[in-house]
Amino acid sequence: MNQQRHDSGTGPPLASDPLVRRARAEAELYARGETSTEPPSLEEAQALVHELRVHQIELEHQNEALRQSQIELEESRARYFELYDLAPVGYLTLSPPDLIEEANRAAEALLGMARANLIKRPLSQFIDSRDRALYQRAIQAPLAHHFPQRGEFRLQGSRKPPGWILLQAAPGALHPAQPNRRHVALIDISARKHNEQALLDSQARLRLATEVAGLSFWEWDWQEDRLYPPPAGFSATRTDGETSAEPRLSDWAAALHEEDRDRALAAIRAFAAHPDGPRELQYRATPDGVRERWFLSRLESLRDGAGQPRRLLLVQQDITHRKQAEDEALYLAQHDPLTGLASRALLDQLATHMLASARRANEQLAVLFFDLDRFKVINDTHGHGAGDRVLQGIARRLRACFRAEDLIARMGGDEFVVVARIHDADEAARTARKAIAILEPPHAINGLSLRCLPSIGISLFPRDGETLDALLQRADIAMYQAKRISPGHYQFVTESLNRKVEAATSLEQRLREALAHGEFSLAYQPMLDIASGQVNAVEALLRWPQPEGEPIPPGTIIPLAESLHLIHEIGHWVFGECCRQLHAWRQAQLPPLGIAINISTRQFYHPRFIADLTATLRDTHTDPRCFSLQISEATLLESLDSAKLILAELRALGARLVMDDFGLGCSSLCELEGLALDGLAIDRALIQRLGLTASMPAIVNLIIHLSHALHLEVTAVGIESESDLAFVREQHCDRAQGHYIGMPLSGAEFIAWHRQQTRCAAGP
Ligand code: C2E
Ligand code: MG
């Protein structure tokens, strides 16, 4: 609207000058012909003047009132324009079809164009093309329906994101000159629209996140017992089978596992009453009525406008996969993955229960500790695959042997434990015998026949201990004793055994320290070449000197080192020391000497045996032909096939190979030939009996002759007298070794001894 409009009315405009107004009035008076020619009398003139005066005053009053109302009108018009122009809402007046005729400042700002430029432009030009059709419908509607039409539209322009307006159109006041005008209000709703969009976005994100995380939620109005919204995934089926439009808490709980239902409901109700209580719960449910799933829920208290707790929010997450993974992890932690038997952890758990119930019922339990003989050799020789299959076979046989209620566990490696209810020690012994019989037959694996006899130690509850640890420890000790007697035996816990094992335990600790601190030494026993009468070789013998008292003999060290798996390290040290000694003797001008080294069973079958030996020879620049390796018959027969392979490699290296302790076991001479050895050493037990039994000379004679027939060089060990030496010389034995020839000596002592011998042989 513009302020230059004129007042409405039909007469000439009102003059502001009174003289002009008087002249106009007189002129009009004459024009109307109302002037008289007769002059009025004095009274009439006075009365007329009075009337005119009164009338004049009336007119002045009227004028004043008119002037006042004009001022008020001007003021109100100015206020109106101010309100119109400065209103925060954009106002437009449109002429058909939608041309802008008037615009206030807010409209100017919203449409982003100066008012002068807006005039005569169509409003549609400012509406985003995406919303234009909608706008056209809205803008047409007011004319047709005569009531305001609304619409929300995006504005065309460079604003990012685009501005939004709420447009409200109404027909203009009827005006004869402009009958089709419309008044339009534009309200900037950009902020609301952006907030709405942000809300929609965050709802979409929340929906996605809840989907991905397997979340769902509902609110429970605990005063009215209503759930909002109905729990997703949970069929709103009531406990009575009816479908509920307004589900209650009990309807949701109907899908819960019956073992979890009451607990979950109690927890939810308790939280509603005390929102600072526990807020997490887990339960199983079958929301789709088909598959049972695990849920983890978190509870939150929601307050109303007055800050009073009103609703309870439950957010639940499907944790079925996690539960399954936990169950699997638990199963794996509790079971040996290879055999499926109970693990040490599960043994602890279940045996503790068995002990408690045996204690209550006054019953006895037996703890059987199994160790497999030669299992490590199988592992080392035939590989871990074969070893694993043997262990699986053992587990199968143990399951078949024991009752379902007995507890069978694998402790790791080749050790198994069974905890069984028994009536007395006899029953425990019968059970152990049965287990040995079942485990005895060989396992057929990869075409091999692998035998693994068990040694069993048995402790009894309550006699030998109150706790599982005590019973296990004692059964373990008894098992070692059984193993020492011979594999395939069982042994009960005894007091003397406990004492012995305590001593062995302290020895074990000392042995480890001795190896770490280099406390071992070697003694060298001369070996006589009978034909030449020369000592041209020695046997290296392990010694463990003690600060007080006699050195600990190898007969004690070697079995202990074997059982502790330290023998490879000790053997490795022996080799290095022998190489060093050979060089020292050469430097001392001794003639070239051969050196015999004893190899124990685990050392022989150790996977790094040959590699480490080769490395030592290379590093010390020692000729392998100086060495003859003494391997006992028992070692070779432990795993004949593997032994042959190892011997072949050693021979390829250049070392001589000798079977030690010959005559102690039931030697198979046929096998001897197949092993392609260089020699054998007759055990000193046989030589020492030469003068004691009538048949022994014949036996020794036979051994020497048979050995020669097999092209083996024979050494007689334990020559203690001249007659012993004379006998073996007569039998054409090749070498002799014994106290009569020379005691075991240190490296330095041997130099002096050898020089002495050479001087004696040379004579005075
Ligand atoms: P072995 O290989 O049969 O060694 C001969 C044993 O007989 C040695 O006992 C030696 O001192 C003893 N001996 C030799 N001549 C006589 C004699 O005339 N009279 C008597 N009474 N004894 C005699 P030692 O040193 O106690 O060794 C015992 C066994 O320990 C050895 O028997 C050998 O099998 C083993 N051994 C010794 N040193 C080592 C070693 O470094 N490594 C391995 N693996 N075993 C070793
Ligand atoms: Mg020997």
Side-chain angles (χ1 to χ4, degrees):
M1 201 170 287
N2 96 44
Q3 294 191 38
Q4 277 80 51
R5 290 177 61 205
H6 297 284
D7 294 337
S8 57
T10 49
L14 208 63
S16 53
D17 186 346
L19 289 177
V20 176
R21 276 207 305 273
R22 168 89 196 173
R24 275 191 196 161
E26 275 187 358
E28 197 176 320
L29 190 64
Y30 284 118
R32 288 182 190 172
E34 289 176 14
T35 45
S36 117
T37 48
E38 285 284 321
S41 67
L42 186 62
E43 289 80 20
E44 279 176 338
Q46 282 174 340
L48 196 59
V49 167
H50 174 78
E51 277 303 310
L52 283 173
R53 188 81 187 119
V54 168
H55 188 63
Q56 185 185 358
I57 290 168
E58 274 177 6
L59 280 176
E60 279 171 10
H61 284 172
Q62 266 181 15
N63 257 351
E64 182 56 28
L66 197 61
R67 204 173 59 82
Q68 274 305 323
S69 69
Q70 201 166 353
I71 288 169
E72 281 170 21
L73 188 65
E74 288 299 325
E75 279 175 358
S76 119
R77 183 174 289 167
R79 255 198 324 276
Y80 166 74
F81 281 115
E82 205 168 281
L83 278 175
Y84 172 83
D85 215 31
L86 300 179
V89 173
Y91 291 120
L92 298 173
T93 303
L94 304 184
S95 65
D98 68 338
L99 297 179
I100 300 172
E101 295 297 340
E102 289 167 355
N104 71 348
R105 284 193 204 173
E108 185 183 42
L110 262 176
L111 300 179
M113 190 176 274
R115 226 181 307 187
N117 296 337
L118 284 176
I119 307 304
K120 297 298 177 200
R121 276 183 196 269
L123 179 57
S124 60
Q125 188 184 324
F126 297 90
I127 303 297
D128 190 290
S129 56
R130 287 170 287 182
D131 297 342
R132 219 167 273 162
L134 205 63
Y135 159 80
Q136 294 295 359
R137 276 203 297 282
I139 208 75
Q140 298 302 333
L143 289 180
H145 303 294
H146 291 280
F147 61 85
Q149 286 286 307
R150 298 159 64 94
E152 294 179 356
F153 311 106
R154 275 162 286 196
L155 286 176
Q156 185 101 288
S158 55
R159 275 165 74 181
K160 288 248 169 7
W164 276 87
I165 48 160
L166 166 68
L167 180 148
Q168 190 163 317
L174 277 180
H175 194 291
Q178 295 155 306
N180 291 330
R181 287 193 314 168
R182 267 152 297 174
H183 293 308
V184 168
L186 303 177
I187 300 168
D188 186 353
I189 53 165
S190 306
R192 196 196 85 205
K193 277 290 182 183
H194 295 156
N195 288 344
E196 277 175 11
Q197 190 55 44
L199 188 65
L200 287 174
D201 289 350
S202 76
Q203 278 174 349
R205 279 196 288 273
L206 179 66
R207 205 166 34 249
L208 184 67
T210 53
E211 264 172 40
V212 170
L215 291 172
S216 54
F217 49 85
W218 47 252
E219 290 172 20
W220 178 47
D221 184 326
W222 42 273
Q223 282 170 352
E224 291 177 8
D225 190 13
R226 287 276 180 271
L227 295 185
Y228 307 93
F234 281 75
S235 54
T237 306
R238 305 175 75 113
T239 26
D240 54 13
E242 293 296 309
T243 302
S244 166
E246 292 185 325
R248 296 166 188 277
L249 185 63
S250 54
D251 299 326
W252 168 78
L256 265 57
H257 192 289
E258 57 181 332
E259 284 173 17
D260 300 343
R261 192 178 300 134
D262 291 346
R263 178 179 51 81
L265 283 173
I268 292 172
R269 290 197 175 106
F271 186 80
H274 303 287
D276 47 355
R279 54 179 60 226
E280 275 196 2
L281 59 145
Q282 287 191 17
Y283 44 82
R284 288 158 288 175
T286 315
D288 58 1
V290 183
R291 260 188 327 153
E292 185 178 283
R293 314 203 56 81
W294 268 101
F295 290 91
L296 168 68
S297 282
R298 201 179 153 82
L299 305 173
E300 197 66 55
S301 175
L302 302 179
R303 292 170 188 276
D304 61 13
Q308 291 303 310
R310 171 77 193 186
R311 286 186 181 195
L312 179 147
L313 171 69
L314 178 143
V315 181
Q316 63 179 17
Q317 185 177 25
D318 187 333
I319 54 162
T320 311
H321 293 305
R322 195 176 92 193
K323 272 280 179 192
Q324 281 166 351
E326 278 173 10
D327 288 350
E328 277 165 28
L330 186 66
Y331 181 87
L332 285 178
Q334 292 186 331
H335 291 84
D336 167 39
L338 182 67
T339 60
L341 294 179
S343 67
R344 172 73 214 246
L346 189 59
L347 172 76
D348 276 352
Q349 216 175 312
L350 298 182
T352 308
H353 285 300
M354 287 176 82
L355 284 170
S357 74
R359 201 171 289 123
R360 278 195 302 275
N362 225 4
E363 285 174 351
Q364 289 196 65
L365 292 178
V367 174
L368 291 90
F369 202 114
F370 290 68
D371 180 90
L372 303 179
D373 189 51
R374 293 184 64 248
F375 173 73
K376 287 184 180 62
V377 176
I378 290 179
N379 234 355
D380 294 345
T381 318
H382 302 292
H384 289 268
D388 287 353
R389 289 181 60 192
V390 168
L391 291 174
Q392 287 166 337
I394 299 275
R396 261 196 308 279
R397 292 183 193 186
L398 283 175
R399 276 204 201 90
C401 174
F402 287 92
R403 295 165 301 198
E405 66 265 29
D406 296 335
L407 175 57
I408 310 173
R410 180 172 169 221
M411 303 289 277
D414 57 354
E415 290 177 346
F416 295 82
V417 163
V418 176
V419 184
R421 259 189 203 96
I422 45 143
H423 292 104
D424 50 26
D426 283 349
E427 190 185 348
R430 275 200 304 280
T431 310
R433 279 198 293 276
K434 185 177 159 199
I436 291 168
I438 278 196
L439 298 182
E440 196 169 10
H443 302 259
I445 288 161
N446 300 341
L448 298 165
S449 178
L450 302 173
R451 202 149 165 251
C452 243
L453 275 180
S455 302
I456 307 176
I458 308 170
S459 61
L460 300 177
F461 169 85
R463 193 191 73 183
D464 297 327
E466 282 286 320
T467 63
L468 177 68
D469 280 348
L471 290 162
L472 279 177
Q473 192 193 15
R474 288 173 175 237
D476 189 12
I477 290 166
M479 183 275 290
Y480 269 101
Q481 175 65 8
K483 208 178 170 75
R484 275 178 55 175
I485 298 167
S486 131
H489 281 77
Y490 65 89
Q491 169 73 49
F492 280 96
V493 169
T494 63
E495 265 321 301
S496 69
L497 194 60
N498 279 342
R499 279 196 298 278
K500 270 192 204 162
V501 174
E502 269 161 31
T505 313
S506 88
L507 189 63
E508 172 186 328
Q509 181 59 24
R510 283 169 55 205
L511 183 73
R512 288 181 192 280
E513 286 168 8
L515 182 62
H517 302 145
E519 291 175 20
F520 296 120
S521 66
L522 287 179
Y524 304 92
Q525 187 173 31
M527 297 172 88
L528 178 75
D529 177 68
I530 295 175
S532 67
Q534 300 290 311
V535 167
N536 59 1
V538 294
E539 179 172 14
L541 297 163
L542 188 66
R543 297 290 179 262
W544 183 8
Q546 299 298 303
E548 290 159 14
E550 288 293 297
I552 297 177
T556 306
I557 308 167
I558 301 298
L560 189 59
E562 282 248 310
S563 72
L564 299 174
H565 298 275
L566 294 173
I567 191 66
H568 179 75
E569 279 70 20
I570 293 177
H572 186 60
W573 175 83
V574 169
F575 261 110
E577 187 60 16
C578 286
C579 293
R580 195 195 60 74
Q581 189 59 64
L582 281 176
H583 289 291
W585 285 334
R586 194 146 305 160
Q587 283 196 332
Q589 310 296 320
L590 258 54
L593 291 163
I595 194 160
I597 297 185
N598 294 285
I599 310 293
S600 72
T601 309
R602 286 210 168 130
Q603 188 183 356
F604 182 73
Y605 290 107
H606 194 281
R608 286 208 325 270
F609 171 52
I610 293 177
D612 285 358
L613 173 60
T614 313
T616 307
L617 292 170
R618 189 192 57 226
D619 295 348
T620 58
H621 308 288
T622 312
D623 185 352
R625 288 170 300 179
C626 298
F627 291 97
S628 68
L629 305 181
Q630 297 197 345
I631 305 138
S632 78
E633 189 186 353
T635 298
L636 294 174
L637 295 181
E638 170 124 1
S639 179
L640 205 57
D641 295 333
S642 317
K644 284 179 185 168
L645 297 173
I646 298 168
L647 289 176
E649 281 193 62
L650 291 170
R651 183 171 305 103
L653 208 63
R656 285 167 49 79
L657 303 168
V658 172
M659 183 185 275
D660 207 1
D661 311 330
F662 191 85
L664 273 188
C666 316
S667 311
S668 159
L669 292 168
C670 278
E671 294 291 3
L672 255 186
E673 190 183 13
L675 291 169
L677 299 163
D678 297 294
L680 57 80
I682 303 175
D683 195 84
R684 75 170 194 263
L686 272 72
I687 303 297
Q688 281 167 348
R689 273 185 240 165
L690 276 176
L692 302 177
T693 61
S695 55
M696 196 49 77
I699 293 174
V700 172
N701 174 283
L702 187 70
I703 293 174
I704 293 171
H705 283 92
L706 267 170
S707 304
H708 284 162
L710 294 167
H711 307 290
L712 296 172
E713 196 185 77
V714 186
T715 304
V717 182
I719 303 295
E720 289 187 344
S721 64
E722 194 178 351
S723 62
D724 289 344
L725 182 60
F727 175 78
V728 296
R729 187 184 280 130
E730 271 169 32
Q731 308 307 318
H732 304 289
C733 186
D734 304 287
R735 283 172 191 272
Q737 177 187 350
H739 291 175
Y740 179 70
I741 291 150
M743 297 294 284
L745 302 164
S746 71
E749 287 169 343
F750 181 77
I751 295 174
W753 182 88
H754 195 274
R755 285 184 181 146
Q756 170 71 23
Q757 290 293 308
T758 318
R759 274 198 296 276
C760 288

